[in-house]
C-alpha cells in the first residue's frame, strides 16, 4: 500500500504469522523523484524491519510495462539491485507477467508472488509458466488502484483458482473472518489483505483517518475516478461529482497533484486528501493491534 506501510507495520504482520509487504514509499512522508534515493530509503526501512523481527517480509515491485526491459525502469532496477544486496526473500510483483523480471527474481532465489492489477486467466497462466510461486486474484472491492473490469472477489477468485494449479491468494474486500472463510471456500489457499490493516494500532495512517474508516459505512464510499474510490471527504466529493457527470479522464492525475492518499491518509489533510479503502468498510469497526487482527481473521473471532 503506497505511503501506508512502514517497518513497524510490516514487522508486526510478520511477527503475527503473516507476510508483511513493504509498499512504495514505505516509511516516508516526502516525495523524491530520484530512483537511487528511493531505493536507499527502502534499504533503511528493510534494515529497520530486521531490527524488529526475524520473520520474512515482502517487497512490492511494479513490473515494467509491456515491451520494456527491467533496466528501462530506473525505479524498478535500483529497487531490485538494493533488494538483492539486502537479501530480501519475497517479492510481490504487481502489473503484468514480465518474463525477464520473473527470471531475474528467481535467479536471486526470490519467492515470487504475482498480482495482476486486472486479473485474467491469460496473465495467471503466463505467470505460472514464467515461474511464479503464488498468485493473487483481486476483486474490484479492493482499496487502492482498481482493476479495469468490475468483477468482484466472488467472481474472480473461483475463476482464477480453476485456471491454474499454483496456490491462489484472494484479495479485495476481505476485512474479517467471514471474508477469510469465504475466500477459502472459493478455493483460495490464503488471503491478501490491505485496507483492514490500515485501521490497526501499528499502521502509519493518521489517527483522524483511522477514526473515519471505523465510522464509515459503504454509503460513505465514493467513486472518484476511473481507477480510485475514497471515503467521503470534501475533495473526494468534488472529484466524485465530476466523475459521475463526465467520467473525466484527467481526474487521476489531478488527484495525484492534490496529494491524494498521501495528503489524506498519511498527513491528515482531510479537506484536500482522500481516504482509499475497500468498499466492505462496514466490517471495520475497531482499531486492534496487528496481532489481534491476524488472530481474529484466522480464527473466526471478531477483533476486540
Ligand atoms: C491505500 C492503499 C494503497 C495501495 N497501494 C498499492 C500499491 O502501491 N501497490 C499495490 O500493489 N497495491 C496497492 N494497494 C492494493 C493492495 O495491495 C491490495 O491489493 C488491496 O488492498 C487488497 O484489497 P483490500 O484493500 O480490499 O484488502 C493499495 C491499497 C490501499 C488501500
Amino acid at each position: 500500500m503506497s505511503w501506508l506501510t512502514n517497518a513497524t507495520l510490516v514487522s508486526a504482520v510478520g511477527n503475527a504469522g503473516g507476510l508483511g509487504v513493504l509498499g512504495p514509499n514505505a516509511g516516508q512522508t516526502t516525495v523524491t523523484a530520484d530512483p537511487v534515493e528511493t531505493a536507499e530509503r527502502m534499504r533503511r526501512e528493510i534494515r529497520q524491519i530486521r531490527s524488529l523481527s526475524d520473520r520474512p517480509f515482502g517487497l512490492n515491485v511494479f513490473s515494467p510495462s509491456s515491451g520494456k526491459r527491467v533496466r528501462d525502469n530506473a525505479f524498478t532496477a535500483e529497487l531490485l539491485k538494493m533488494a538483492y544486496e539486502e537479501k530480501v526473500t519475497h517479492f510481490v510483483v504487481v502489473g503484468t507477467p514480465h518474463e525477464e523480471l520473473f527470471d531475474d527474481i528467481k535467479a536471486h532465489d526470490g519467492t515470487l508472488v504475482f498480482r495482476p492489477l486486472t486479473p485474467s486467466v491469460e496473465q495467471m497462466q503466463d505467470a505460472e509458466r514464467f515461474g511464479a510461486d503464488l498468485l493473487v486474484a483481486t476483486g474490484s472491492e479492493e482499496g487502492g488502484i482498481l482493476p479495469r473490469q468490475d468483477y468482484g472477489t466472488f467472481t474472480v477468485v473461483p475463476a482464477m483458482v480453476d485456471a491454474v494449479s499454483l496456490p491462489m491468494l484472494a484479495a479485495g474486500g476481505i476485512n474479517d473472518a467471514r471474508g477469510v472463510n469465504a475466500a477459502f471456500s472459493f478455493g483460495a489457499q490464503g488471503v491478501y489483505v490491505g485496507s483492514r490493516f490500515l485501521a490497526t494500532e501499528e499502521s502509519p495512517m493518521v489517527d483522524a483517518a483511522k477514526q473515519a474508516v471505523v465510522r464509515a459505512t459503504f454509503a460513505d464510499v465514493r467513486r472518484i475516478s476511473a481507477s480510485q474510490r475514497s471515503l467521503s471527504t470534501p475533495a473526494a466529493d468534488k472529484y466524485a461529482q465530476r466523475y459521475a457527470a463526465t467520467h473525466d479522464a484527467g481526474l487521476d492525475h489531478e488527484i495525484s497533484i492534490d496529494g491524494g492518499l498521501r495528503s489524506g491518509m498519511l498527513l491528515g489533510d482531510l479537506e484536500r486528501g482522500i481516504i482509499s479503502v475497500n468498499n466492505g468498510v462496514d466490517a471495520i469497526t475497531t482499531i486492534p493491534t496487528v496481532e489481534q487482527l491476524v488472530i481474529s481473521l484466522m480464527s473466526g473471532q471478531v477483533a476486540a
Side-chain angles (χ1 to χ4, degrees), residues 2 10 50 62 68 131 135 138 140 147-148 155 163 167 175 177 194 210 215 243-244 267 271 278 297:
S2 193
V10 169
R50 294 228 162 95
F62 284 93
K68 297 276 188 197
L135 301 170
T138 314
S140 57
R148 258 180 273 110
T155 309
N175 291 333
K210 290 184 190 176
R215 277 196 311 270
Y243 184 68
L267 305 180
E271 285 286 317
N278 68 41
L297 286 171

Side-chain angles (χ1 to χ4, degrees), residues 88-261:
V88 172
T89 53
H90 290 67
F91 296 82
V92 179
V93 175
V94 176
T96 51
H98 189 282
E99 194 167 5
E100 184 204 358
L101 174 63
F102 280 39
D103 286 348
D104 194 51
I105 290 174
K106 298 310 293 179
H108 288 86
D109 292 328
T111 297
L112 197 154
V113 184
F114 175 64
R115 188 175 85 83
L117 272 178
T118 300
S120 74
V121 165
E122 293 72 25
Q123 290 195 34
M124 293 294 187
Q125 290 175 341
D126 283 349
E128 183 166 49
R129 206 154 38 82
F130 297 161
D133 297 289
L134 272 171
L135 301 170
V136 185
T138 314
S140 57
E141 292 90 336
E142 73 169 322
I145 300 297
L146 304 175
R148 258 180 273 110
Q149 62 206 9
D150 199 8
Y151 294 147
T153 306
F154 268 36
T155 309
V156 163
V157 174
M160 299 302 134
V161 163
D162 289 348
V164 288
S165 51
L166 282 178
M168 188 71 62
L169 308 182
I174 299 170
N175 291 333
D176 63 18
R178 294 171 297 182
V180 175
N181 291 338
F184 286 144
S185 68
F186 281 121
Q189 283 165 299
V191 290
Y192 184 83
V193 176
S195 300
R196 185 62 187 89
F197 282 95
L198 294 170
T200 57
E201 281 185 16
E202 292 89 338
S203 147
M205 187 160 80
V206 69
D207 197 51
K210 290 184 190 176
Q211 298 298 341
V213 170
V214 163
R215 277 196 311 270
T217 70
F218 66 65
D220 300 307
V221 177
R222 307 278 180 267
R223 183 69 183 238
I224 58 169
S225 74
S227 67
Q228 294 183 76
R229 274 190 295 255
S230 171
L231 296 185
S232 172
T233 66
D237 291 351
K238 185 187 71 183
Y239 303 136
Q241 277 172 9
R242 276 177 42 206
Y243 184 68
T246 63
H247 279 219
D248 187 338
L251 272 166
D252 277 314
H253 182 63
E254 194 173 321
I255 293 166
S256 136
I257 300 284
D258 290 348
L261 51 81

Side-chain angles (χ1 to χ4, degrees), residues 267-280:
L267 305 180
D269 181 351
L270 299 184
E271 285 286 317
R272 277 168 54 90
I274 64 166
I275 303 176
S276 171
V277 282
N278 68 41
N279 53 13

